[in-house]
Amino acid sequence: MNYTETKVSMKRPKGVVSHVDLFAAFHRKYLDTLLGRRAENKQKAEAERNAILDANARGEADLLTAVFVIGGFLALMFFFLLIAIERHQRKLASD
């Protein structure tokens, strides 16, 4: 009794990638994109945070300057008021 044995091996056609390899490539690409965007967002948030802190520091200095200017103006006006009262009193005393 003669018989013929045929061996068959499963091979993909040229250019076809295994589903495992394809999923691994997609997953790697997803993770690379995710990590890249996280790094960009972190840098952007850090830059915005530093800009806000710088603006706060400048604002505090500007506010302190404004308080000194207003205080100086009020002190000057108080002295002008004292001079005006004194002149008024001299005028009344001379009459």
Side-chain angles (χ1 to χ4, degrees):
M1 205 170 188
N2 277 340
Y3 69 93
T4 306
E5 181 179 347
T6 306
K7 291 189 176 184
V8 178
S9 63
M10 300 289 285
K11 290 185 179 178
R12 290 180 194 83
K14 289 185 179 181
V16 176
V17 181
S18 163
H19 65 284
V20 174
D21 295 338
L22 184 63
F23 182 77
F26 283 145
H27 191 249
R28 206 171 24 255
K29 176 71 174 165
Y30 170 78
L31 290 177
D32 292 343
T33 303
L34 177 67
L35 294 176
R37 287 184 183 172
R38 279 185 182 174
E40 289 173 13
N41 288 339
K42 185 177 180 181
Q43 290 174 353
K44 190 186 308 181
E46 188 68 29
E48 289 176 5
R49 186 177 303 113
N50 288 336
I52 290 170
L53 291 175
D54 291 342
N56 285 347
R58 283 192 314 272
E60 288 176 8
D62 292 345
L63 185 61
L64 189 60
T65 302
V67 166
F68 282 136
V69 168
I70 290 172
F73 175 77
L74 291 177
L76 186 64
M77 288 296 110
F78 177 73
F79 289 128
F80 281 141
L81 180 64
L82 288 179
I83 292 170
I85 292 172
E86 189 265 336
R87 284 185 178 174
H88 183 69
Q89 291 295 326
R90 279 189 187 181
K91 185 176 179 185
L92 286 178
S94 69
D95 286 346

